[in-house]
């Protein structure tokens, strides 16, 4: 189980959920799920069927969403129905079939499946209240009916030569009211603001303003460490100070905003030593088998650890780390890729320089001194004494390397060479005061 972030954006028809959700997802580098498209596709599939025949037909409704040339396409049983499901007839029909509890069950299961294993913005009617009750950020958008009708008309007119001629705004407003009534009054999981959702009245707001508000909520949520994280850091700080007289140096080198914290790695003590000395919340990586161990699998996501299977630099993991850095988070990455057997620095892997170049994040070299003597790789248990020091070096910046070397690969290699040199120097020149 990983701690992926789920953002739900609910609200009535025509309030601008899709536009806002797409923009928020693209700015945060999250996936985006349009749950209305699922109901629309089911509506298209079942046509005029009712009652038991409708329910039987659900078994043969295979919905899929694929990205083609950067555009999301909705498929029903292998056929592209992206355009078809946007008609007014399907809008009304979707609202009708959505009142059926069995239809909702099918749609909800599909939503949860599509939203697993990624950071995602989900947009719909009951996403925060019913489908994702544990979502990290819940937003409920509202706007006056006439404003929503105007927005809907603009959307329908897009690409037409004689704007505003084909659609009548009062008729659109009436249809919106009719759908509102059905969506809010239905017995099964009606359109409803979750008690813990933040309401945003978008009547006089631009799409950018609404999106910015939501992004701020997400960033605040991501930046606030879980109480478990705070407790564990505090506990490690006390224990390490008591047993190993732990001291930290150069903490002021940690910048505000995004950064890659890159220490040498010799011991299991290294991650908690960094967590306990950093004044900022950090994200880290952990082997995925740890996420299957009973108590650990609950604790680990709350301490901002993300699973890696095999290499920390496989594409899935790189994507997660890059998206965290782009959200101005700090990520702890051991550039050697594993613990050294003899306490000496191993050759550094390219991934850390690659991430710095992809996200323009500074790298902070960190020397962990004394951890090898206390708990080396070949010992099952740590000593209960020793001296532990954590030395934060000055940040190194990607732009300095790319400006100097111009070629990306050469710049990355030079950055790595310097990082290795600094890590060695920090250790060699260290004197404990
Ligand atoms: O968001 P939309 O207009 O594409 O949705 C079409 C219909 O689907 C809407 O009138 C109600 C229904 N729906 C729902 O009941 N629950 C959702 N999460 C999404 C849509």
């Amino acid at each position: 189980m990983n701690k992926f972030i789920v953002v739900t954006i609910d609200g009535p028809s025509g309030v601008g959920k899709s536009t806002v959700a797409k923009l928020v997802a693209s700015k945060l580098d999250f996936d985006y799920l349009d749950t209305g498209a699922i109901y629309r596709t089911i509506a298209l599939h079942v046509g005029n069927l009712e009652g038991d025949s409708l329910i039987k037909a659900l078994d043969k409704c295979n919905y899929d969403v694929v990205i083609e040339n950067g555009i999301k396409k909705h498929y029903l049983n292998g056929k592209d129905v992206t355009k078809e499901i946007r008609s007014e007839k399907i809008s009304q029909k979707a609202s009708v079939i959505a009142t059926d509890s069995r239809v909702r069950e099918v749609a909800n299961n599909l939503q949860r499946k599509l939203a697993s294993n990624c950071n995602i913005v989900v947009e719909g009617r009951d996403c925060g209240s019913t489908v994702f009750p544990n979502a990290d950020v819940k937003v409920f958008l509202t706007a006056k009916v006439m404003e929503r009708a105007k927005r809907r008309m603009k959307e329908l007119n897009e690409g037409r030569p004689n704007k505003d001629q084909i659609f009548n705004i009062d008729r659109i407003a009436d249809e919106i009211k009719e759908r509102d009534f059905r969506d809010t009054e239905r017995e099964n999981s009606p359109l409803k603001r979750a008690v813990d959702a933040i309401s945003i009245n978008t009547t006089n707001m631009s799409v950018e303003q609404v999106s910015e508000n939501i992004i701020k909520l997400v960033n605040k949520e991501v930046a606030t460490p879980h109480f478990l994280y705070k407790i564990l850091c505090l506990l490690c700080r006390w224990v390490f100070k008591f047993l190993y007289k732990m001291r930290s140096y150069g903490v002021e080198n940690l910048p505000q905003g995004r950064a890659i914290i890159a220490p040498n790695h010799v011991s299991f003590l290294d991650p908690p030593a960094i967590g306990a000395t950093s004044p900022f919340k950090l994200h880290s990586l952990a082997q995925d088998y740890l996420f299957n161990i009973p108590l650990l699998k609950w604790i680990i996501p709350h301490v901002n650890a993300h699973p890696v299977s095999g290499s920390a630099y496989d594409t899935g993991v790189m994507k997660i780390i890059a998206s965290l850095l782009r959200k101005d988070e700090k990520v702890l990455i051991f550039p050697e890729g594993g613990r050294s057997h003899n306490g000496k620095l191993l050759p550094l892997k390219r991934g850390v320089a690659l991430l710095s170049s992809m996200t323009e994040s500074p790298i902070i070299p960190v020397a962990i001194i004394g951890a090898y003597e206390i708990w080396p790789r070949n010992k099952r248990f740590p000593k209960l004494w020793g001296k532990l020091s954590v030395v934060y070096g000055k940040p190194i910046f990607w732009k300095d390397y790319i400006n100097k070397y111009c070629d990306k690969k050469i710049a990355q290699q030079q950055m790595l060479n310097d990082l290795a040199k600094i890590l060695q120097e920090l250790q060699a020149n260290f004197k404990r005061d």
Side-chain angles (χ1 to χ4, degrees):
M1 183 180 70
N2 186 21
K3 185 72 187 83
F4 288 114
I5 295 167
V6 177
V7 180
T8 58
I9 303 182
D10 289 308
S13 314
V15 77
K17 296 184 301 285
S18 308
T19 323
V20 166
K22 274 185 213 157
L23 190 62
V24 170
S26 107
K27 287 201 172 165
L28 291 173
D29 203 12
F30 281 20
D31 279 1
Y32 156 67
L33 180 63
D34 167 8
T35 62
I38 297 176
Y39 286 95
R40 286 169 180 271
T41 308
I42 297 177
L44 180 68
H45 174 71
V46 298
N48 292 326
L49 297 178
E50 281 175 9
D52 285 348
S53 335
L54 185 156
I55 304 309
K56 260 194 194 153
L58 289 177
D59 287 342
K60 296 201 179 79
C61 177
N62 291 313
Y63 168 82
D64 204 4
V65 55
V66 256
I67 299 177
E68 287 170 13
N69 301 326
I71 296 169
K72 272 212 164 139
K73 297 275 169 111
H74 304 275
Y75 276 83
L76 168 61
N77 296 334
K79 185 182 163 220
D80 181 358
V81 293
T82 313
K83 279 214 180 98
E84 247 176 293
I85 58 169
R86 293 295 154 196
S87 71
E88 256 329 288
K89 194 174 137 216
I90 291 293
S91 300
Q92 292 296 337
K93 178 83 195 163
S95 164
V96 174
I97 58 133
T99 58
D100 189 302
S101 62
R102 287 156 301 179
V103 170
R104 297 205 75 80
E105 200 184 309
V106 170
N108 291 354
N109 289 340
L110 199 51
Q111 288 170 44
R112 291 188 189 113
K113 194 171 138 212
L114 291 168
S116 60
N117 297 326
C118 55
N119 294 318
I120 196 159
V121 179
V122 194
E123 167 247 307
R125 303 290 190 288
D126 59 344
C127 298
S129 57
T130 308
V131 192
F132 301 99
N134 298 325
D136 303 85
V137 174
K138 299 181 185 179
V139 175
F140 193 83
L141 301 184
T142 60
K144 288 193 175 135
V145 169
M146 242 10 217
E147 174 63 26
R148 287 156 54 201
K150 266 194 233 159
R151 291 177 189 170
R152 181 81 184 119
M153 189 156 86
K154 199 168 155 237
E155 190 183 294
L156 290 169
N157 274 328
E158 232 133 63
R160 286 180 186 275
N162 299 321
K163 311 254 177 227
D164 300 355
Q165 302 219 333
I166 297 164
F167 303 103
N168 174 305
I169 189 140
D170 293 324
R171 230 191 93 206
I172 293 178
D174 285 345
E175 277 170 1
I176 284 180
K177 280 189 214 155
E178 197 187 322
R179 278 172 73 191
D180 275 3
F181 179 78
R182 222 173 8 238
D183 293 348
T184 46
E185 296 305 314
R186 68 176 176 232
E187 213 176 293
N188 297 312
S189 193
L191 162 68
K192 192 171 78 190
R193 183 173 85 87
V195 278
D196 49 351
I198 312 269
S199 265
I200 303 180
N201 183 343
T202 69
T203 307
N204 298 313
M205 286 171 89
S206 69
V207 172
E208 282 73 24
Q209 285 171 324
V210 181
S211 310
E212 277 315 311
N213 280 352
I214 298 174
I215 288 167
K216 272 190 204 147
L217 291 173
V218 177
N219 286 340
K220 194 170 149 229
E221 175 62 33
V222 174
T224 315
H226 193 271
F227 78 95
L228 209 64
Y229 181 93
K230 291 192 207 164
I231 288 176
L232 285 176
C233 286
L234 210 63
L235 200 69
C236 289
R237 201 173 306 153
W238 286 339
V239 172
F240 289 0
K241 275 194 173 174
F242 179 70
L243 293 179
Y244 308 128
K245 320 270 175 292
M246 182 176 70
R247 280 192 200 155
S248 60
Y249 301 82
V251 171
E252 66 282 0
N253 289 326
L254 283 169
Q256 295 286 338
R258 69 185 70 175
I260 298 168
I261 315 299
N264 62 311
H265 198 12
V266 285
S267 167
F268 279 139
L269 294 178
D270 301 338
I274 300 280
T277 50
S278 160
F280 296 104
K281 184 190 90 175
L282 306 176
H283 291 264
S284 60
L285 305 171
Q287 287 300 331
D288 57 0
Y289 67 86
L290 296 173
F291 289 72
N292 295 324
I293 298 175
L295 188 61
L296 270 187
K297 81 174 174 194
W298 180 75
I299 295 176
I300 280 191
H302 294 304
V303 297
N304 313 313
H306 304 266
V308 264
S309 54
S311 161
Y313 297 116
D314 66 31
T315 36
V317 180
M318 291 286 274
K319 223 177 133 190
I320 293 174
I321 304 175
S323 109
L324 288 165
L325 290 167
R326 288 197 186 102
K327 276 185 270 138
D328 281 343
E329 291 292 300
K330 292 183 178 56
V331 184
L332 169 65
I333 304 173
F334 293 101
E336 297 154 275
R339 280 170 300 154
S340 157
H341 283 273
N342 57 9
K344 296 219 166 68
L345 196 71
L346 299 171
L348 306 190
K349 301 248 194 285
R350 224 181 109 230
V352 60
L354 195 68
L355 280 163
S356 173
S357 70
M358 280 162 67
T359 61
E360 309 228 332
S361 308
I363 299 180
I364 319 297
V366 188
I368 302 178
I369 297 156
Y372 180 75
E373 287 70 24
I374 297 169
W375 199 0
R377 204 176 159 149
N378 57 355
K379 288 275 182 305
R380 280 187 74 184
F381 299 105
K383 287 184 192 162
L384 291 178
W385 64 93
K387 279 193 177 147
L388 185 60
S389 310
V390 181
V391 189
Y392 291 87
K394 294 218 178 316
I396 51 178
F397 297 95
W398 168 247
K399 68 173 181 335
D400 293 341
Y401 288 86
I402 193 66
N403 288 345
K404 188 165 173 197
Y405 298 100
C406 300
D407 180 277
K408 247 188 174 180
K409 279 216 167 118
I410 298 175
Q412 285 167 359
Q413 191 53 54
Q414 291 298 334
M415 196 178 198
L416 271 194
N417 295 349
D418 282 359
L419 176 60
K421 213 166 114 204
I422 297 169
L423 286 174
Q424 274 158 345
E425 281 171 5
L426 284 175
Q427 292 185 59
N429 298 338
F430 174 72
K431 278 198 196 78
R432 199 176 153 112
D433 51 34

